[in-house]
Amino acid sequence: MGRWTEPPETTRCLLGAVMTGLGLLAIWDGCRDVLAPRKKLAKPSQLRQAILTGADGRRRSDVSRKALREQLALLAERGASFSLEILPKPEVPDLGWIERVICTYEGIFSVLACFVTGEGVCIALEKSEIAAAQAEEILAGILDGTMDFSGWESEKWPPPEREEPPQGLLVLWGTAGMSVCPSSRSGTRN
């Protein structure tokens, strides 16, 4: 029986030495953080994921400043619009989640930001009569989440529906047939 008393004591001594070593290592790690703090990882400066529906109708997900500049130049040529959807939809305090951002050009640029609140209410804010460089800065600010919407004008959204019905009825049949039937003011169609 005397032989069995030594192994437990040896095991306890070895465990005590290991625990002491781990304790000293933890103290050293804490002191090292105080003496020479580790550099924190910087937040990536990449833009948020977004889907751009261009003035030409094509959708793309590689939205960069260069892509915004190209779309603004295309707008100036054609006088149309393009839109951005930011994913996941960012929340702006006191406004809601950004549903869509629309940039239009009718002689001068304007940017419309559409928000949806928690109650399902749509809010539209517009920054109008701006230069191309300012439009680019606004769109980049919306993408990276730094845009301040104070000072933007409130707009109605969605736009009101047309009061007059379209002047023609487009009929499609099969894979190759199509005809346009003009409508009269009395409500009957030919």
Side-chain angles (χ1 to χ4, degrees), residues 27-44:
I27 291 171
W28 168 247
D29 189 46
C31 292
R32 186 184 60 184
D33 286 343
V34 170
L35 296 174
R38 295 179 186 148
K39 292 182 181 178
K40 293 183 180 179
L41 296 176
K43 290 184 180 178

PDB file of all heavy atoms in Angstrom, residues 27-44:
ATOM      1  N   ILE A  27      -1.464  35.962 -16.958  1.00  0.00           N
ATOM      2  CA  ILE A  27      -1.041  37.256 -16.408  1.00  0.00           C
ATOM      3  C   ILE A  27      -0.164  37.981 -17.421  1.00  0.00           C
ATOM      4  O   ILE A  27      -0.321  39.193 -17.649  1.00  0.00           O
ATOM      5  CB  ILE A  27      -0.316  37.061 -15.062  1.00  0.00           C
ATOM      6  CG1 ILE A  27      -1.312  36.592 -14.008  1.00  0.00           C
ATOM      7  CG2 ILE A  27       0.382  38.348 -14.631  1.00  0.00           C
ATOM      8  CD1 ILE A  27      -0.682  36.166 -12.703  1.00  0.00           C
ATOM      9  N   TRP A  28       0.755  37.268 -18.057  1.00  0.00           N
ATOM     10  CA  TRP A  28       1.620  37.875 -19.059  1.00  0.00           C
ATOM     11  C   TRP A  28       0.803  38.416 -20.234  1.00  0.00           C
ATOM     12  O   TRP A  28       1.055  39.518 -20.724  1.00  0.00           O
ATOM     13  CB  TRP A  28       2.655  36.876 -19.560  1.00  0.00           C
ATOM     14  CG  TRP A  28       3.357  37.371 -20.794  1.00  0.00           C
ATOM     15  CD1 TRP A  28       3.271  36.858 -22.039  1.00  0.00           C
ATOM     16  CD2 TRP A  28       4.201  38.505 -20.903  1.00  0.00           C
ATOM     17  NE1 TRP A  28       4.012  37.594 -22.923  1.00  0.00           N
ATOM     18  CE2 TRP A  28       4.605  38.631 -22.236  1.00  0.00           C
ATOM     19  CE3 TRP A  28       4.669  39.448 -19.985  1.00  0.00           C
ATOM     20  CZ2 TRP A  28       5.446  39.632 -22.685  1.00  0.00           C
ATOM     21  CZ3 TRP A  28       5.505  40.454 -20.447  1.00  0.00           C
ATOM     22  CH2 TRP A  28       5.884  40.533 -21.779  1.00  0.00           C
ATOM     23  N   ASP A  29      -0.200  37.664 -20.688  1.00  0.00           N
ATOM     24  CA  ASP A  29      -1.043  38.107 -21.803  1.00  0.00           C
ATOM     25  C   ASP A  29      -1.794  39.387 -21.433  1.00  0.00           C
ATOM     26  O   ASP A  29      -1.892  40.316 -22.229  1.00  0.00           O
ATOM     27  CB  ASP A  29      -2.026  36.996 -22.191  1.00  0.00           C
ATOM     28  CG  ASP A  29      -2.758  37.312 -23.470  1.00  0.00           C
ATOM     29  OD1 ASP A  29      -2.104  37.736 -24.452  1.00  0.00           O
ATOM     30  OD2 ASP A  29      -4.001  37.150 -23.515  1.00  0.00           O
ATOM     31  N   GLY A  30      -2.305  39.457 -20.203  1.00  0.00           N
ATOM     32  CA  GLY A  30      -2.991  40.665 -19.748  1.00  0.00           C
ATOM     33  C   GLY A  30      -2.052  41.857 -19.672  1.00  0.00           C
ATOM     34  O   GLY A  30      -2.398  42.974 -20.068  1.00  0.00           O
ATOM     35  N   CYS A  31      -0.828  41.641 -19.157  1.00  0.00           N
ATOM     36  CA  CYS A  31       0.152  42.733 -19.075  1.00  0.00           C
ATOM     37  C   CYS A  31       0.564  43.190 -20.469  1.00  0.00           C
ATOM     38  O   CYS A  31       0.742  44.381 -20.711  1.00  0.00           O
ATOM     39  CB  CYS A  31       1.381  42.282 -18.291  1.00  0.00           C
ATOM     40  SG  CYS A  31       1.063  42.009 -16.543  1.00  0.00           S
ATOM     41  N   ARG A  32       0.716  42.241 -21.389  1.00  0.00           N
ATOM     42  CA  ARG A  32       1.099  42.601 -22.759  1.00  0.00           C
ATOM     43  C   ARG A  32       0.024  43.480 -23.409  1.00  0.00           C
ATOM     44  O   ARG A  32       0.344  44.439 -24.109  1.00  0.00           O
ATOM     45  CB  ARG A  32       1.313  41.341 -23.587  1.00  0.00           C
ATOM     46  CG  ARG A  32       1.852  41.629 -24.963  1.00  0.00           C
ATOM     47  CD  ARG A  32       1.969  40.402 -25.786  1.00  0.00           C
ATOM     48  NE  ARG A  32       0.629  39.825 -25.898  1.00  0.00           N
ATOM     49  CZ  ARG A  32       0.372  38.695 -26.502  1.00  0.00           C
ATOM     50  NH1 ARG A  32       1.329  37.981 -27.020  1.00  0.00           N
ATOM     51  NH2 ARG A  32      -0.857  38.246 -26.583  1.00  0.00           N
ATOM     52  N   ASP A  33      -1.258  43.184 -23.159  1.00  0.00           N
ATOM     53  CA  ASP A  33      -2.330  44.011 -23.720  1.00  0.00           C
ATOM     54  C   ASP A  33      -2.304  45.427 -23.163  1.00  0.00           C
ATOM     55  O   ASP A  33      -2.623  46.390 -23.863  1.00  0.00           O
ATOM     56  CB  ASP A  33      -3.699  43.372 -23.458  1.00  0.00           C
ATOM     57  CG  ASP A  33      -3.957  42.165 -24.339  1.00  0.00           C
ATOM     58  OD1 ASP A  33      -3.242  42.007 -25.352  1.00  0.00           O
ATOM     59  OD2 ASP A  33      -4.876  41.387 -24.035  1.00  0.00           O
ATOM     60  N   VAL A  34      -1.911  45.550 -21.900  1.00  0.00           N
ATOM     61  CA  VAL A  34      -1.841  46.880 -21.301  1.00  0.00           C
ATOM     62  C   VAL A  34      -0.632  47.636 -21.839  1.00  0.00           C
ATOM     63  O   VAL A  34      -0.709  48.821 -22.181  1.00  0.00           O
ATOM     64  CB  VAL A  34      -1.789  46.780 -19.763  1.00  0.00           C
ATOM     65  CG1 VAL A  34      -1.467  48.133 -19.136  1.00  0.00           C
ATOM     66  CG2 VAL A  34      -3.105  46.243 -19.223  1.00  0.00           C
ATOM     67  N   LEU A  35       0.509  46.969 -21.928  1.00  0.00           N
ATOM     68  CA  LEU A  35       1.744  47.626 -22.363  1.00  0.00           C
ATOM     69  C   LEU A  35       1.758  47.925 -23.859  1.00  0.00           C
ATOM     70  O   LEU A  35       2.193  48.990 -24.281  1.00  0.00           O
ATOM     71  CB  LEU A  35       2.955  46.762 -21.993  1.00  0.00           C
ATOM     72  CG  LEU A  35       3.168  46.555 -20.498  1.00  0.00           C
ATOM     73  CD1 LEU A  35       4.307  45.568 -20.263  1.00  0.00           C
ATOM     74  CD2 LEU A  35       3.450  47.880 -19.802  1.00  0.00           C
ATOM     75  N   ALA A  36       1.285  46.991 -24.670  1.00  0.00           N
ATOM     76  CA  ALA A  36       1.285  47.161 -26.133  1.00  0.00           C
ATOM     77  C   ALA A  36      -0.055  46.642 -26.675  1.00  0.00           C
ATOM     78  O   ALA A  36      -0.162  45.484 -27.063  1.00  0.00           O
ATOM     79  CB  ALA A  36       2.439  46.405 -26.762  1.00  0.00           C
ATOM     80  N   PRO A  37      -1.080  47.507 -26.659  1.00  0.00           N
ATOM     81  CA  PRO A  37      -2.395  47.037 -27.112  1.00  0.00           C
ATOM     82  C   PRO A  37      -2.356  46.580 -28.568  1.00  0.00           C
ATOM     83  O   PRO A  37      -1.652  47.138 -29.397  1.00  0.00           O
ATOM     84  CB  PRO A  37      -3.301  48.253 -26.949  1.00  0.00           C
ATOM     85  CG  PRO A  37      -2.477  49.333 -26.398  1.00  0.00           C
ATOM     86  CD  PRO A  37      -1.066  48.877 -26.288  1.00  0.00           C
ATOM     87  N   ARG A  38      -3.129  45.565 -28.837  1.00  0.00           N
ATOM     88  CA  ARG A  38      -3.228  45.063 -30.210  1.00  0.00           C
ATOM     89  C   ARG A  38      -4.067  46.024 -31.029  1.00  0.00           C
ATOM     90  O   ARG A  38      -4.996  46.663 -30.526  1.00  0.00           O
ATOM     91  CB  ARG A  38      -3.876  43.689 -30.218  1.00  0.00           C
ATOM     92  CG  ARG A  38      -3.041  42.663 -29.516  1.00  0.00           C
ATOM     93  CD  ARG A  38      -3.727  41.318 -29.521  1.00  0.00           C
ATOM     94  NE  ARG A  38      -2.970  40.391 -28.708  1.00  0.00           N
ATOM     95  CZ  ARG A  38      -3.493  39.414 -28.010  1.00  0.00           C
ATOM     96  NH1 ARG A  38      -4.784  39.224 -28.030  1.00  0.00           N
ATOM     97  NH2 ARG A  38      -2.732  38.612 -27.303  1.00  0.00           N
ATOM     98  N   LYS A  39      -3.732  46.120 -32.301  1.00  0.00           N
ATOM     99  CA  LYS A  39      -4.507  46.989 -33.188  1.00  0.00           C
ATOM    100  C   LYS A  39      -5.869  46.352 -33.445  1.00  0.00           C
ATOM    101  O   LYS A  39      -5.965  45.166 -33.716  1.00  0.00           O
ATOM    102  CB  LYS A  39      -3.780  47.182 -34.509  1.00  0.00           C
ATOM    103  CG  LYS A  39      -2.506  47.969 -34.386  1.00  0.00           C
ATOM    104  CD  LYS A  39      -1.860  48.158 -35.726  1.00  0.00           C
ATOM    105  CE  LYS A  39      -0.561  48.931 -35.580  1.00  0.00           C
ATOM    106  NZ  LYS A  39       0.111  49.076 -36.860  1.00  0.00           N
ATOM    107  N   LYS A  40      -6.907  47.169 -33.321  1.00  0.00           N
ATOM    108  CA  LYS A  40      -8.242  46.684 -33.607  1.00  0.00           C
ATOM    109  C   LYS A  40      -8.428  46.619 -35.112  1.00  0.00           C
ATOM    110  O   LYS A  40      -7.888  47.442 -35.853  1.00  0.00           O
ATOM    111  CB  LYS A  40      -9.294  47.602 -32.994  1.00  0.00           C
ATOM    112  CG  LYS A  40      -9.272  47.581 -31.494  1.00  0.00           C
ATOM    113  CD  LYS A  40     -10.361  48.447 -30.921  1.00  0.00           C
ATOM    114  CE  LYS A  40     -10.320  48.419 -29.408  1.00  0.00           C
ATOM    115  NZ  LYS A  40     -11.345  49.257 -28.814  1.00  0.00           N
ATOM    116  N   LEU A  41      -9.199  45.670 -35.530  1.00  0.00           N
ATOM    117  CA  LEU A  41      -9.480  45.555 -36.952  1.00  0.00           C
ATOM    118  C   LEU A  41     -10.342  46.717 -37.398  1.00  0.00           C
ATOM    119  O   LEU A  41     -11.348  47.037 -36.760  1.00  0.00           O
ATOM    120  CB  LEU A  41     -10.199  44.233 -37.248  1.00  0.00           C
ATOM    121  CG  LEU A  41      -9.401  42.963 -36.967  1.00  0.00           C
ATOM    122  CD1 LEU A  41     -10.285  41.751 -37.217  1.00  0.00           C
ATOM    123  CD2 LEU A  41      -8.170  42.916 -37.846  1.00  0.00           C
ATOM    124  N   ALA A  42      -9.925  47.358 -38.461  1.00  0.00           N
ATOM    125  CA  ALA A  42     -10.703  48.479 -38.997  1.00  0.00           C
ATOM    126  C   ALA A  42     -11.909  47.941 -39.741  1.00  0.00           C
ATOM    127  O   ALA A  42     -11.865  46.864 -40.333  1.00  0.00           O
ATOM    128  CB  ALA A  42      -9.840  49.302 -39.942  1.00  0.00           C
ATOM    129  N   LYS A  43     -12.989  48.694 -39.694  1.00  0.00           N
ATOM    130  CA  LYS A  43     -14.174  48.308 -40.443  1.00  0.00           C
ATOM    131  C   LYS A  43     -13.861  48.389 -41.932  1.00  0.00           C
ATOM    132  O   LYS A  43     -13.191  49.319 -42.375  1.00  0.00           O
ATOM    133  CB  LYS A  43     -15.349  49.241 -40.125  1.00  0.00           C
ATOM    134  CG  LYS A  43     -15.886  49.069 -38.731  1.00  0.00           C
ATOM    135  CD  LYS A  43     -17.091  49.952 -38.519  1.00  0.00           C
ATOM    136  CE  LYS A  43     -17.650  49.799 -37.130  1.00  0.00           C
ATOM    137  NZ  LYS A  43     -18.788  50.671 -36.897  1.00  0.00           N
ATOM    138  N   PRO A  44     -14.358  47.448 -42.683  1.00  0.00           N
ATOM    139  CA  PRO A  44     -14.081  47.508 -44.121  1.00  0.00           C
ATOM    140  C   PRO A  44     -14.726  48.739 -44.729  1.00  0.00           C
ATOM    141  O   PRO A  44     -15.825  49.133 -44.361  1.00  0.00           O
ATOM    142  CB  PRO A  44     -14.704  46.219 -44.665  1.00  0.00           C
ATOM    143  CG  PRO A  44     -15.665  45.764 -43.622  1.00  0.00           C
ATOM    144  CD  PRO A  44     -15.186  46.313 -42.325  1.00  0.00           C
TER     145      PRO A  44
END
